[in-house]
């Protein structure tokens, strides 16, 4: 079973900042948190990965509090093309995807 | 550098037929995975191979077999296809660096079993 919990779906509007929170209460001490994005009819693609505090790249930011029991993916100024499913994963012996969060961006 | 390739892209089978889905990666990764994704659902792990010569079951292995032919190739076989196996199948190659894993996915095989 996936070790993470995320909202099933979210709606937002173009130009807004979107924050998707993932719960991983049982994360192991050395585990990283990884987020993937999946567009319709495509395989998931890596977005961002982090261990603690804040990580930022050209696509998103990842915020991880000190207790590391949750993480928040932040997408700045979303556009219609950000409509996708977003998955949060923590490492295990094998890589299990949960159901992800279906993000729908409205005009 | 093609990344992860999968063949075929589409396939229609009749119940009881067999077929093999092919996956190859040119990134020299040790780990490879097979997932299935039903419409509107998340990915479910079928089998994975942590390294050449090893394979392990995932969440939904029944009805499937796998072969890690060499470091590049990881095939998935349906011995007797059933309508419940209608799905999109994704292969992924995994870069493991220290405590981090990053997966690279192929384009998928869309399988319909009638």
């Amino acid at each position: 079973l996936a070790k993470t919990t995320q909202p099933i779906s979210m709606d937002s509007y173009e130009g807004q900042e979107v924050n998707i929170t993932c719960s991983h209460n049982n994360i192991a001490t050395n585990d990283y948190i990884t987020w993937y994005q999946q567009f319709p009819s495509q395989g998931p693609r890596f977005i961002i990965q982090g261990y603690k505090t804040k990580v930022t790249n050209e696509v998103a930011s990842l915020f991880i509090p000190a207790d590391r029991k949750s993480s928040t993916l932040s997408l700045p100024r979303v556009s219609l093309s950000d409509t996708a499913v977003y998955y949060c994963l923590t490492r295990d012996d094998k890589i299990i995807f949960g159901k992800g969060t279906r993000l729908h961006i409205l005009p | 550098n093609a990344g992860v390739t999968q063949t075929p892209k589409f396939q229609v089978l009749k119940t009881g037929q067999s077929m093999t889905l092919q996956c190859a990666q040119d990134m020299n990764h040790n780990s490879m995975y097979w997932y299935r994704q039903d419409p509107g659902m998340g990915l479910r792990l079928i089998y994975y191979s942590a390294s050449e010569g090893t394979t392990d079951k995932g969440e939904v292995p029944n009805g499937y077999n796998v072969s890690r032919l060499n470091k590049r190739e990881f095939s998935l076989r349906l011995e007797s296809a059933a309508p419940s196996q209608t799905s999109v199948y994704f292969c992924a190659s995994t870069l493991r660096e220290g405590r981090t894993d990053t997966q690279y996915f192929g384009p998928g095989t869309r399988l319909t079993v009638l």
Side-chain angles (χ1 to χ4, degrees):
Chain A
L1 292 176
K3 296 164 62 177
T4 61
T5 304
Q6 312 173 227
I8 291 177
S9 65
M10 295 178 65
D11 290 339
S12 186
Y13 291 93
E14 279 193 296
Q16 299 291 309
E17 178 185 76
V18 171
N19 296 310
I20 305 174
T21 297
C22 177
S23 171
H24 28 80
N25 290 319
N26 297 317
I27 189 169
T29 303
N30 295 326
D31 279 359
Y32 277 69
I33 298 119
T34 308
W35 285 79
Y36 289 84
Q37 175 190 56
Q38 186 181 25
F39 296 118
S41 301
Q42 296 183 25
R45 68 165 187 148
F46 171 86
I47 302 178
I48 197 166
Q49 188 174 68
Y51 181 76
K52 62 180 178 181
T53 63
K54 178 182 175 182
V55 179
T56 297
N57 62 21
E58 65 277 6
V59 176
S61 294
L62 179 60
F63 297 92
I64 305 167
D67 67 6
R68 300 189 347 105
K69 292 184 183 301
S70 67
S71 59
T72 299
L73 176 73
S74 181
L75 304 172
R77 299 179 298 281
V78 293
S79 64
L80 295 176
S81 62
D82 291 314
T83 292
V85 179
Y86 294 81
Y87 298 93
C88 164
L89 286 79
T90 60
R91 181 180 172 175
D92 198 344
D93 289 339
K94 49 189 177 290
I95 300 172
I96 301 289
F97 281 74
K99 293 183 171 58
T101 297
R102 193 170 297 273
L103 177 64
H104 187 205
I105 305 302
L106 304 166
Chain B
N1 190 337
V4 180
T5 57
Q6 292 184 236
T7 55
K9 287 188 169 54
F10 301 93
Q11 184 71 49
V12 178
L13 293 177
K14 295 181 179 178
T15 297
Q17 288 185 315
S18 63
M19 79 161 294
T20 300
L21 283 65
Q22 306 287 353
C23 174
Q25 53 97 4
D26 61 3
M27 296 175 282
N28 201 36
H29 293 164
N30 287 321
S31 299
M32 297 183 73
Y33 283 65
W34 276 106
Y35 296 91
R36 62 175 286 175
Q37 185 171 39
D38 299 334
M41 304 294 286
L43 286 82
R44 290 187 291 171
L45 178 62
I46 305 172
Y47 271 93
Y48 67 106
S49 170
S51 62
E52 186 179 353
T54 68
T55 61
D56 286 286
K57 296 179 180 179
E59 303 170 275
V60 288
N62 291 343
Y64 305 95
N65 285 301
V66 289
S67 294
R68 184 72 183 270
L69 303 171
N70 46 55
K71 193 171 187 179
R72 289 188 65 248
E73 298 171 290
F74 189 35
S75 63
L76 178 71
R77 182 161 178 84
L78 287 71
E79 290 291 351
S80 179
S84 61
Q85 294 177 305
T86 293
S87 191
V88 180
Y89 291 84
F90 289 105
C91 175
S93 177
T94 305
L95 173 64
R96 175 161 284 187
E97 294 180 306
R99 294 291 301 182
T100 66
D101 289 310
T102 305
Q103 288 202 305
Y104 298 85
F105 283 80
T109 294
R110 283 145 187 80
L111 175 66
T112 301
V113 183
L114 302 174

